[in-house]
Amino acid sequence: FLGVYGWVGLWTSLLTILLAVTNASNWMRYFTRFTDEIFSALMSLIFIYKAIEALVAGFSAAVLPGGSNEKAVLAVVIAVGTFYIAMTLAGFRRRNYLFPWMREFLADFGPSIALGCMVGTAWWLGDRSTLDTLEVAGTGEAVQRGMLVDLWSVPNWVKIAAIGPAILASVLVFLSQNITSRLVNSPQNKLEKGESYHLDLAVVGGLIGLCSLFGWPWMVAATVRSLAHVRALSDVEEVVEPNGQSHEKIIHVHENRVTGLVIHLLIGGSLLALPLLEYVPKAALYGIFLYMGFVSLHGIQFVQRLGLLLMDSSLYPLNHYT
């Protein structure tokens, strides 16, 4: 598998860099808002679907001989609890309680606070027999096979045939990277820095090639987390329309390189805490998936329009598409 993975990754890297060198990101000018929002909605629904699928699978396993609903019910309680706390804290910046910096802190770090609270609650309510926790792989396998992937362990025809899936992967990387970049650089975010679509795509292509040599996951822009990052750095105000509808408007984004650097240093630092990750219940992460999925659906005009199908037409909000 790793040999095939390596060749597909190297071809994908080459094709992605070629797209960057030929300024293919300029093609994004022909894509419409519909494409952006369909992609954003898809990413959000994947988070929600995967979380629900995992929770339902727990009940499916409970009907097997010797199975019990105890583990499945506990997983639902933990996931819903994590989701509820994160959603509640996310909306705290619009509350009237506490000082402004406290409200901002609780809203920005709501998912982390929710995860910490529910991990503690999970171990208070259950134990190893009733909790499915993260499975952290050891380093033994990596040591046995070496750090680099053996690219010559596959037949010669596979090295050429890997171009096929690499073309599909390149299209996915191209769309994922550029749509995410365009959403982040949307005029409504009022960013001041210049865009670097082609350079970003080239860097992503290089990272894909590097990761493929070591058997690591590929790197590409993440729509949900990127937009959440911009939102956390934003100063917003609440605008009330003449019809009473209210929405948030971004005033200013505190653009910097520090938060991105610190975020990824902390991700890398998690390697030092691998034994502790074994105590994190998977159900708590499913709650975070639900939170990320539902939060990112807010502000997608496509989803808002679908909601109008269920609304009394006399109560439609006044805007350009109604």
Side-chain angles (χ1 to χ4, degrees):
F1 168 77
L2 288 177
V4 177
Y5 177 82
W7 280 104
V8 172
L10 290 177
W11 283 114
T12 301
S13 174
L14 176 62
L15 294 174
T16 303
I17 293 176
L18 285 176
L19 289 172
V21 170
T22 56
N23 291 347
S25 295
N26 289 338
W27 298 342
M28 294 303 297
R29 73 181 66 181
Y30 301 110
F31 287 70
T32 64
R33 177 173 184 155
F34 176 76
T35 308
D36 295 345
E37 298 202 343
I38 283 289
F39 191 85
S40 299
L42 173 64
M43 295 296 102
S44 302
L45 291 176
I46 286 176
F47 275 93
I48 297 171
Y49 171 78
K50 285 297 182 181
I52 295 177
E53 179 187 41
L55 294 174
V56 171
F59 286 96
S60 300
V63 301
L64 299 175
S68 171
N69 283 326
E70 179 183 358
K71 179 184 291 188
V73 171
L74 179 59
V76 172
V77 171
I78 296 171
V80 173
T82 306
F83 170 71
Y84 176 77
I85 294 174
M87 288 293 290
T88 302
L89 294 179
F92 217 85
R93 57 169 50 94
R94 294 188 294 272
R95 303 292 179 87
N96 299 323
Y97 305 105
L98 305 179
F99 294 110
W101 67 269
M102 294 180 179
R103 296 197 296 266
E104 287 292 328
F105 176 84
L106 292 174
D108 290 340
F109 292 93
S112 302
I113 296 172
L115 186 62
C117 291
M118 293 311 297
V119 167
T121 302
W123 285 104
W124 177 59
L125 294 176
D127 53 33
R128 283 281 185 181
S129 62
T130 55
L131 291 173
D132 286 331
T133 58
L134 286 176
E135 299 172 4
V136 180
T139 58
E141 180 185 350
V143 172
Q144 290 176 7
R145 68 171 176 83
M147 287 295 293
L148 291 174
V149 171
D150 185 4
L151 296 175
W152 314 110
S153 62
V154 299
N156 289 330
W157 67 268
V158 172
K159 302 171 186 177
I160 305 301
I163 299 177
I167 293 174
L168 301 178
S170 301
V171 173
L172 179 60
V173 169
F174 175 80
L175 291 176
S176 177
Q177 174 65 34
N178 281 292
I179 289 178
T180 300
S181 299
R182 192 161 75 163
L183 290 172
V184 167
N185 288 282
S186 173
Q188 67 185 19
N189 292 334
K190 301 180 180 178
L191 299 182
E192 298 176 2
K193 71 173 181 64
E195 303 90 352
S196 57
Y197 297 116
H198 309 303
L199 175 61
D200 288 346
L201 190 62
V203 171
V204 166
L207 287 174
I208 289 176
L210 179 65
C211 293
S212 299
L213 292 176
F214 290 93
W216 298 342
W218 295 345
M219 302 296 294
V220 70
T223 307
V224 175
R225 286 174 289 171
S226 299
L227 295 177
H229 187 196
V230 173
R231 179 63 185 82
L233 297 174
S234 303
D235 291 332
V236 300
E237 66 177 357
E238 190 168 357
V239 178
V240 180
E241 303 290 348
N243 61 349
Q245 296 283 338
S246 63
H247 64 88
E248 290 184 345
K249 178 181 178 181
I250 293 179
I251 304 173
H252 175 68
V253 177
H254 297 274
E255 301 176 60
N256 67 91
R257 293 183 174 90
V258 177
T259 53
L261 176 63
V262 172
I263 286 170
H264 290 88
L265 286 176
L266 289 173
I267 292 174
S270 65
L271 293 174
L272 303 176
L274 288 181
L276 296 178
L277 295 181
E278 295 181 347
Y279 293 95
V280 178
K282 292 181 179 179
L285 299 182
Y286 300 150
I288 296 295
F289 286 174
L290 288 174
Y291 164 79
M292 295 178 70
F294 278 100
V295 164
S296 56
L297 284 177
H298 289 302
I300 298 180
Q301 192 182 107
F302 173 74
V303 176
Q304 295 172 350
R305 293 190 186 212
L306 289 179
L308 297 179
L309 295 173
L310 306 176
M311 186 183 295
D312 183 353
S313 58
S314 63
L315 300 178
Y316 279 176
L318 296 178
N319 50 48
H320 73 277
Y321 56 84
T322 55

